[in-house]
Amino acid sequence: MCCFKVAEKFVSINGEGPRAGELAVFLRFCGCNLNCGYCDTRWANAADVKYELASAEELVAYVKSTGVKNVTLTGGEPLLQADIAYLIELLGASGAEVEIETNGSVPVKNIVSLSTRPTVTADYKLPSSGMEKYMLPENFSYFTLRDSVKFVVGDKCDLMRAEEIINSYGLTNRCRVYFSPVFGKIEPEEITEFMKERKLNGVRLQLQLHKIIWKPDKRGV
């Protein structure tokens, strides 16, 4: 039986992405292969983090018990979980609408080829994260209009780099594209003005709803 290291599981609203504002069941897995400077879930990646070991079947049963259809797999980096594809297939077969949030450094090819294909929301780490060298732009070729690329922006240099990537890969014609400010580092107004100046059609500014509704560091929301 395959087991997953689950840092937390809960029901809340989706704070960002294409289902922002909708109810979702969150399954947060332990561990990440990156160390972004602005990471707000670093606690889930610590070696001594407390976690629950759960099988795919147990997680599906938990999701069913909530009565909520949307499921968000997050972390950490959920694609590092060895049997994540099996979990996605079971969730899909149970009628769940699965979204997986990935940090952009792990191949998505096997996930998007599943018969119960999830919606993928992938970060592209910009210079202020310190992790851009680990990005896999080849993942973009597997995205469709159901998927999303999220640029977490910390400063003007990040905005300019995001624009370059969007244009180089034609992202607004391929998938949804979001700009999300690093909380406390850049004002949404600055991002909006940049979008206006550069005429960035097809790009959406998003604010993290869970950090507006609750305290920014509150867990389980």
Side-chain angles (χ1 to χ4, degrees), residues 115-149:
S115 58
T116 55
R117 185 194 190 283
T119 296
V120 178
T121 297
D123 281 8
Y124 184 92
K125 305 298 184 185
L126 296 165
S128 71
S129 72
M131 296 287 114
E132 187 179 10
K133 65 182 178 181
Y134 299 108
M135 294 297 94
L136 297 178
E138 54 265 36
N139 277 342
F140 297 154
S141 65
Y142 297 104
F143 293 166
T144 70
L145 293 175
R146 68 185 292 181
D147 304 309
S148 305
V149 174

mmCIF file of all heavy atoms in Angstrom, residues 115-149:
data_model
loop_
_atom_site.group_PDB
_atom_site.id
_atom_site.type_symbol
_atom_site.label_atom_id
_atom_site.label_comp_id
_atom_site.label_asym_id
_atom_site.label_seq_id
_atom_site.Cartn_x
_atom_site.Cartn_y
_atom_site.Cartn_z
ATOM 1 N N SER A 115 -5.681 9.434 -17.586
ATOM 2 C CA SER A 115 -7.062 9.432 -18.077
ATOM 3 C C SER A 115 -7.928 10.367 -17.244
ATOM 4 O O SER A 115 -8.902 10.942 -17.744
ATOM 5 C CB SER A 115 -7.639 8.013 -18.044
ATOM 6 O OG SER A 115 -7.595 7.484 -16.726
ATOM 7 N N THR A 116 -7.591 10.523 -15.979
ATOM 8 C CA THR A 116 -8.266 11.492 -15.107
ATOM 9 C C THR A 116 -7.345 12.704 -14.939
ATOM 10 O O THR A 116 -6.878 13.000 -13.843
ATOM 11 C CB THR A 116 -8.586 10.877 -13.733
ATOM 12 O OG1 THR A 116 -7.381 10.353 -13.160
ATOM 13 C CG2 THR A 116 -9.612 9.778 -13.856
ATOM 14 N N ARG A 117 -7.090 13.376 -16.049
ATOM 15 C CA ARG A 117 -6.113 14.463 -16.069
ATOM 16 C C ARG A 117 -6.509 15.582 -15.109
ATOM 17 O O ARG A 117 -7.628 16.099 -15.161
ATOM 18 C CB ARG A 117 -6.003 15.035 -17.477
ATOM 19 C CG ARG A 117 -4.928 16.112 -17.662
ATOM 20 C CD ARG A 117 -5.143 16.841 -18.977
ATOM 21 N NE ARG A 117 -4.063 17.725 -19.378
ATOM 22 C CZ ARG A 117 -3.818 18.920 -18.876
ATOM 23 N NH1 ARG A 117 -4.585 19.385 -17.887
ATOM 24 N NH2 ARG A 117 -2.833 19.670 -19.329
ATOM 25 N N PRO A 118 -5.593 16.008 -14.230
ATOM 26 C CA PRO A 118 -5.906 17.130 -13.344
ATOM 27 C C PRO A 118 -5.661 18.470 -14.039
ATOM 28 O O PRO A 118 -4.997 18.540 -15.079
ATOM 29 C CB PRO A 118 -4.892 16.949 -12.204
ATOM 30 C CG PRO A 118 -3.690 16.363 -12.901
ATOM 31 C CD PRO A 118 -4.256 15.450 -13.980
ATOM 32 N N THR A 119 -6.201 19.513 -13.467
ATOM 33 C CA THR A 119 -5.818 20.863 -13.847
ATOM 34 C C THR A 119 -4.477 21.151 -13.193
ATOM 35 O O THR A 119 -4.273 20.850 -12.015
ATOM 36 C CB THR A 119 -6.867 21.881 -13.365
ATOM 37 O OG1 THR A 119 -8.093 21.621 -14.022
ATOM 38 C CG2 THR A 119 -6.422 23.300 -13.652
ATOM 39 N N VAL A 120 -3.546 21.717 -13.953
ATOM 40 C CA VAL A 120 -2.213 22.007 -13.432
ATOM 41 C C VAL A 120 -2.039 23.507 -13.263
ATOM 42 O O VAL A 120 -2.309 24.283 -14.185
ATOM 43 C CB VAL A 120 -1.113 21.469 -14.371
ATOM 44 C CG1 VAL A 120 0.276 21.819 -13.831
ATOM 45 C CG2 VAL A 120 -1.255 19.961 -14.550
ATOM 46 N N THR A 121 -1.608 23.907 -12.075
ATOM 47 C CA THR A 121 -1.192 25.284 -11.833
ATOM 48 C C THR A 121 0.287 25.257 -11.501
ATOM 49 O O THR A 121 0.689 24.692 -10.478
ATOM 50 C CB THR A 121 -1.979 25.932 -10.682
ATOM 51 O OG1 THR A 121 -3.361 26.004 -11.044
ATOM 52 C CG2 THR A 121 -1.467 27.333 -10.396
ATOM 53 N N ALA A 122 1.095 25.811 -12.397
ATOM 54 C CA ALA A 122 2.555 25.745 -12.254
ATOM 55 C C ALA A 122 3.126 27.135 -12.025
ATOM 56 O O ALA A 122 2.762 28.088 -12.714
ATOM 57 C CB ALA A 122 3.186 25.126 -13.500
ATOM 58 N N ASP A 123 4.008 27.225 -11.062
ATOM 59 C CA ASP A 123 4.759 28.462 -10.870
ATOM 60 C C ASP A 123 5.864 28.558 -11.913
ATOM 61 O O ASP A 123 6.363 27.536 -12.402
ATOM 62 C CB ASP A 123 5.415 28.493 -9.494
ATOM 63 C CG ASP A 123 4.448 28.861 -8.383
ATOM 64 O OD1 ASP A 123 3.243 28.943 -8.651
ATOM 65 O OD2 ASP A 123 4.909 29.060 -7.251
ATOM 66 N N TYR A 124 6.216 29.791 -12.246
ATOM 67 C CA TYR A 124 7.517 30.034 -12.875
ATOM 68 C C TYR A 124 8.249 30.942 -11.910
ATOM 69 O O TYR A 124 7.824 32.077 -11.664
ATOM 70 C CB TYR A 124 7.407 30.688 -14.260
ATOM 71 C CG TYR A 124 8.762 30.833 -14.907
ATOM 72 C CD1 TYR A 124 9.262 29.840 -15.745
ATOM 73 C CD2 TYR A 124 9.585 31.933 -14.636
ATOM 74 C CE1 TYR A 124 10.527 29.943 -16.302
ATOM 75 C CE2 TYR A 124 10.852 32.036 -15.197
ATOM 76 C CZ TYR A 124 11.318 31.050 -16.018
ATOM 77 O OH TYR A 124 12.584 31.141 -16.570
ATOM 78 N N LYS A 125 9.330 30.410 -11.320
ATOM 79 C CA LYS A 125 10.065 31.151 -10.303
ATOM 80 C C LYS A 125 10.913 32.247 -10.949
ATOM 81 O O LYS A 125 11.763 31.973 -11.810
ATOM 82 C CB LYS A 125 10.964 30.215 -9.495
ATOM 83 C CG LYS A 125 10.229 29.046 -8.861
ATOM 84 C CD LYS A 125 9.176 29.496 -7.876
ATOM 85 C CE LYS A 125 8.528 28.307 -7.190
ATOM 86 N NZ LYS A 125 7.423 28.701 -6.306
ATOM 87 N N LEU A 126 10.686 33.472 -10.518
ATOM 88 C CA LEU A 126 11.367 34.645 -11.063
ATOM 89 C C LEU A 126 12.638 34.955 -10.276
ATOM 90 O O LEU A 126 12.909 34.336 -9.245
ATOM 91 C CB LEU A 126 10.384 35.817 -11.066
ATOM 92 C CG LEU A 126 9.176 35.589 -11.983
ATOM 93 C CD1 LEU A 126 8.075 36.590 -11.683
ATOM 94 C CD2 LEU A 126 9.583 35.646 -13.453
ATOM 95 N N PRO A 127 13.460 35.909 -10.752
ATOM 96 C CA PRO A 127 14.775 36.140 -10.135
ATOM 97 C C PRO A 127 14.758 36.359 -8.625
ATOM 98 O O PRO A 127 15.641 35.861 -7.915
ATOM 99 C CB PRO A 127 15.282 37.383 -10.874
ATOM 100 C CG PRO A 127 14.685 37.256 -12.238
ATOM 101 C CD PRO A 127 13.315 36.683 -12.006
ATOM 102 N N SER A 128 13.753 37.066 -8.095
ATOM 103 C CA SER A 128 13.771 37.355 -6.655
ATOM 104 C C SER A 128 13.597 36.107 -5.799
ATOM 105 O O SER A 128 13.908 36.117 -4.611
ATOM 106 C CB SER A 128 12.689 38.376 -6.292
ATOM 107 O OG SER A 128 11.396 37.818 -6.385
ATOM 108 N N SER A 129 13.122 35.024 -6.404
ATOM 109 C CA SER A 129 12.958 33.770 -5.655
ATOM 110 C C SER A 129 14.289 33.082 -5.411
ATOM 111 O O SER A 129 14.415 32.273 -4.487
ATOM 112 C CB SER A 129 12.043 32.808 -6.420
ATOM 113 O OG SER A 129 12.702 32.283 -7.568
ATOM 114 N N GLY A 130 15.271 33.354 -6.281
ATOM 115 C CA GLY A 130 16.556 32.658 -6.210
ATOM 116 C C GLY A 130 16.531 31.266 -6.805
ATOM 117 O O GLY A 130 17.513 30.533 -6.728
ATOM 118 N N MET A 131 15.425 30.882 -7.444
ATOM 119 C CA MET A 131 15.248 29.509 -7.911
ATOM 120 C C MET A 131 15.005 29.394 -9.417
ATOM 121 O O MET A 131 14.674 28.317 -9.903
ATOM 122 C CB MET A 131 14.065 28.857 -7.166
ATOM 123 C CG MET A 131 14.261 28.700 -5.670
ATOM 124 S SD MET A 131 15.447 27.405 -5.224
ATOM 125 C CE MET A 131 16.753 28.390 -4.479
ATOM 126 N N GLU A 132 15.161 30.475 -10.158
ATOM 127 C CA GLU A 132 14.788 30.428 -11.570
ATOM 128 C C GLU A 132 15.583 29.389 -12.350
ATOM 129 O O GLU A 132 15.069 28.788 -13.305
ATOM 130 C CB GLU A 132 14.944 31.797 -12.233
ATOM 131 C CG GLU A 132 14.408 31.791 -13.653
ATOM 132 C CD GLU A 132 14.505 33.126 -14.357
ATOM 133 O OE1 GLU A 132 15.173 34.045 -13.827
ATOM 134 O OE2 GLU A 132 13.932 33.267 -15.449
ATOM 135 N N LYS A 133 16.811 29.145 -11.961
ATOM 136 C CA LYS A 133 17.648 28.197 -12.723
ATOM 137 C C LYS A 133 17.088 26.772 -12.726
ATOM 138 O O LYS A 133 17.484 25.939 -13.551
ATOM 139 C CB LYS A 133 19.072 28.191 -12.167
ATOM 140 C CG LYS A 133 19.195 27.669 -10.746
ATOM 141 C CD LYS A 133 20.642 27.744 -10.272
ATOM 142 C CE LYS A 133 20.796 27.273 -8.842
ATOM 143 N NZ LYS A 133 22.210 27.361 -8.375
ATOM 144 N N TYR A 134 16.149 26.491 -11.840
ATOM 145 C CA TYR A 134 15.574 25.149 -11.763
ATOM 146 C C TYR A 134 14.289 24.992 -12.576
ATOM 147 O O TYR A 134 13.704 23.907 -12.601
ATOM 148 C CB TYR A 134 15.287 24.775 -10.303
ATOM 149 C CG TYR A 134 16.520 24.759 -9.436
ATOM 150 C CD1 TYR A 134 16.735 25.753 -8.486
ATOM 151 C CD2 TYR A 134 17.475 23.756 -9.562
ATOM 152 C CE1 TYR A 134 17.863 25.754 -7.687
ATOM 153 C CE2 TYR A 134 18.609 23.746 -8.772
ATOM 154 C CZ TYR A 134 18.801 24.746 -7.836
ATOM 155 O OH TYR A 134 19.927 24.754 -7.048
ATOM 156 N N MET A 135 13.843 26.053 -13.216
ATOM 157 C CA MET A 135 12.592 25.985 -13.956
ATOM 158 C C MET A 135 12.699 25.109 -15.207
ATOM 159 O O MET A 135 13.755 25.020 -15.818
ATOM 160 C CB MET A 135 12.133 27.394 -14.342
ATOM 161 C CG MET A 135 11.757 28.278 -13.158
ATOM 162 S SD MET A 135 10.335 27.648 -12.214
ATOM 163 C CE MET A 135 11.147 26.687 -10.901
ATOM 164 N N LEU A 136 11.575 24.498 -15.570
ATOM 165 C CA LEU A 136 11.500 23.633 -16.753
ATOM 166 C C LEU A 136 10.491 24.210 -17.737
ATOM 167 O O LEU A 136 9.320 23.803 -17.760
ATOM 168 C CB LEU A 136 11.073 22.219 -16.351
ATOM 169 C CG LEU A 136 11.985 21.427 -15.425
ATOM 170 C CD1 LEU A 136 11.367 20.065 -15.106
ATOM 171 C CD2 LEU A 136 13.371 21.247 -16.038
ATOM 172 N N PRO A 137 10.913 25.146 -18.580
ATOM 173 C CA PRO A 137 9.972 25.732 -19.552
ATOM 174 C C PRO A 137 9.373 24.699 -20.499
ATOM 175 O O PRO A 137 8.309 24.956 -21.085
ATOM 176 C CB PRO A 137 10.840 26.751 -20.310
ATOM 177 C CG PRO A 137 11.967 27.065 -19.375
ATOM 178 C CD PRO A 137 12.240 25.789 -18.640
ATOM 179 N N GLU A 138 10.022 23.542 -20.655
ATOM 180 C CA GLU A 138 9.460 22.509 -21.523
ATOM 181 C C GLU A 138 8.094 22.035 -21.019
ATOM 182 O O GLU A 138 7.306 21.469 -21.788
ATOM 183 C CB GLU A 138 10.417 21.325 -21.668
ATOM 184 C CG GLU A 138 10.887 20.703 -20.366
ATOM 185 C CD GLU A 138 12.219 21.251 -19.875
ATOM 186 O OE1 GLU A 138 12.470 22.459 -20.054
ATOM 187 O OE2 GLU A 138 12.991 20.453 -19.315
ATOM 188 N N ASN A 139 7.802 22.242 -19.749
ATOM 189 C CA ASN A 139 6.471 21.897 -19.232
ATOM 190 C C ASN A 139 5.365 22.669 -19.940
ATOM 191 O O ASN A 139 4.237 22.182 -20.058
ATOM 192 C CB ASN A 139 6.388 22.190 -17.732
ATOM 193 C CG ASN A 139 6.957 21.067 -16.871
ATOM 194 O OD1 ASN A 139 7.116 19.940 -17.332
ATOM 195 N ND2 ASN A 139 7.266 21.376 -15.632
ATOM 196 N N PHE A 140 5.675 23.873 -20.415
ATOM 197 C CA PHE A 140 4.653 24.710 -21.046
ATOM 198 C C PHE A 140 3.985 24.015 -22.226
ATOM 199 O O PHE A 140 2.810 24.257 -22.518
ATOM 200 C CB PHE A 140 5.249 26.041 -21.526
ATOM 201 C CG PHE A 140 5.790 26.919 -20.435
ATOM 202 C CD1 PHE A 140 6.801 27.838 -20.707
ATOM 203 C CD2 PHE A 140 5.309 26.844 -19.135
ATOM 204 C CE1 PHE A 140 7.305 28.667 -19.721
ATOM 205 C CE2 PHE A 140 5.810 27.661 -18.129
ATOM 206 C CZ PHE A 140 6.804 28.582 -18.430
ATOM 207 N N SER A 141 4.727 23.169 -22.910
ATOM 208 C CA SER A 141 4.198 22.531 -24.123
ATOM 209 C C SER A 141 3.051 21.575 -23.816
ATOM 210 O O SER A 141 2.309 21.179 -24.719
ATOM 211 C CB SER A 141 5.310 21.782 -24.860
ATOM 212 O OG SER A 141 5.794 20.692 -24.086
ATOM 213 N N TYR A 142 2.889 21.184 -22.549
ATOM 214 C CA TYR A 142 1.827 20.254 -22.172
ATOM 215 C C TYR A 142 0.581 20.965 -21.650
ATOM 216 O O TYR A 142 -0.410 20.320 -21.342
ATOM 217 C CB TYR A 142 2.329 19.287 -21.089
ATOM 218 C CG TYR A 142 3.470 18.424 -21.561
ATOM 219 C CD1 TYR A 142 4.778 18.696 -21.162
ATOM 220 C CD2 TYR A 142 3.254 17.352 -22.427
ATOM 221 C CE1 TYR A 142 5.830 17.917 -21.592
ATOM 222 C CE2 TYR A 142 4.306 16.564 -22.870
ATOM 223 C CZ TYR A 142 5.591 16.852 -22.446
ATOM 224 O OH TYR A 142 6.636 16.082 -22.889
ATOM 225 N N PHE A 143 0.626 22.280 -21.549
ATOM 226 C CA PHE A 143 -0.481 23.015 -20.954
ATOM 227 C C PHE A 143 -1.560 23.337 -21.976
ATOM 228 O O PHE A 143 -1.287 23.529 -23.161
ATOM 229 C CB PHE A 143 0.016 24.307 -20.299
ATOM 230 C CG PHE A 143 0.889 24.075 -19.089
ATOM 231 C CD1 PHE A 143 1.654 25.108 -18.565
ATOM 232 C CD2 PHE A 143 0.951 22.846 -18.473
ATOM 233 C CE1 PHE A 143 2.453 24.907 -17.457
ATOM 234 C CE2 PHE A 143 1.750 22.630 -17.362
ATOM 235 C CZ PHE A 143 2.497 23.665 -16.853
ATOM 236 N N THR A 144 -2.777 23.416 -21.483
ATOM 237 C CA THR A 144 -3.918 23.830 -22.288
ATOM 238 C C THR A 144 -4.612 24.978 -21.559
ATOM 239 O O THR A 144 -4.183 25.404 -20.484
ATOM 240 C CB THR A 144 -4.908 22.669 -22.482
ATOM 241 O OG1 THR A 144 -5.551 22.391 -21.221
ATOM 242 C CG2 THR A 144 -4.205 21.413 -22.974
ATOM 243 N N LEU A 145 -5.706 25.440 -22.113
ATOM 244 C CA LEU A 145 -6.417 26.572 -21.520
ATOM 245 C C LEU A 145 -7.047 26.244 -20.168
ATOM 246 O O LEU A 145 -7.505 27.136 -19.463
ATOM 247 C CB LEU A 145 -7.481 27.094 -22.481
ATOM 248 C CG LEU A 145 -6.929 27.745 -23.759
ATOM 249 C CD1 LEU A 145 -8.071 28.124 -24.697
ATOM 250 C CD2 LEU A 145 -6.090 28.976 -23.420
ATOM 251 N N ARG A 146 -7.047 24.987 -19.782
ATOM 252 C CA ARG A 146 -7.532 24.617 -18.451
ATOM 253 C C ARG A 146 -6.449 24.794 -17.395
ATOM 254 O O ARG A 146 -6.744 24.805 -16.194
ATOM 255 C CB ARG A 146 -8.019 23.163 -18.452
ATOM 256 C CG ARG A 146 -6.925 22.149 -18.623
ATOM 257 C CD ARG A 146 -7.441 20.732 -18.732
ATOM 258 N NE ARG A 146 -8.024 20.267 -17.494
ATOM 259 C CZ ARG A 146 -8.533 19.043 -17.320
ATOM 260 N NH1 ARG A 146 -8.568 18.201 -18.348
ATOM 261 N NH2 ARG A 146 -9.030 18.681 -16.159
ATOM 262 N N ASP A 147 -5.198 24.920 -17.833
ATOM 263 C CA ASP A 147 -4.063 25.006 -16.919
ATOM 264 C C ASP A 147 -3.638 26.450 -16.688
ATOM 265 O O ASP A 147 -4.105 27.368 -17.376
ATOM 266 C CB ASP A 147 -2.878 24.200 -17.464
ATOM 267 C CG ASP A 147 -3.245 22.750 -17.724
ATOM 268 O OD1 ASP A 147 -3.800 22.114 -16.813
ATOM 269 O OD2 ASP A 147 -2.987 22.261 -18.843
ATOM 270 N N SER A 148 -2.737 26.656 -15.742
ATOM 271 C CA SER A 148 -2.311 28.006 -15.389
ATOM 272 C C SER A 148 -0.812 28.058 -15.134
ATOM 273 O O SER A 148 -0.222 27.091 -14.620
ATOM 274 C CB SER A 148 -3.019 28.483 -14.113
ATOM 275 O OG SER A 148 -4.408 28.390 -14.218
ATOM 276 N N VAL A 149 -0.229 29.201 -15.474
ATOM 277 C CA VAL A 149 1.133 29.529 -15.056
ATOM 278 C C VAL A 149 1.041 30.757 -14.163
ATOM 279 O O VAL A 149 0.417 31.753 -14.522
ATOM 280 C CB VAL A 149 2.061 29.805 -16.252
ATOM 281 C CG1 VAL A 149 3.424 30.297 -15.767
ATOM 282 C CG2 VAL A 149 2.235 28.537 -17.081
#
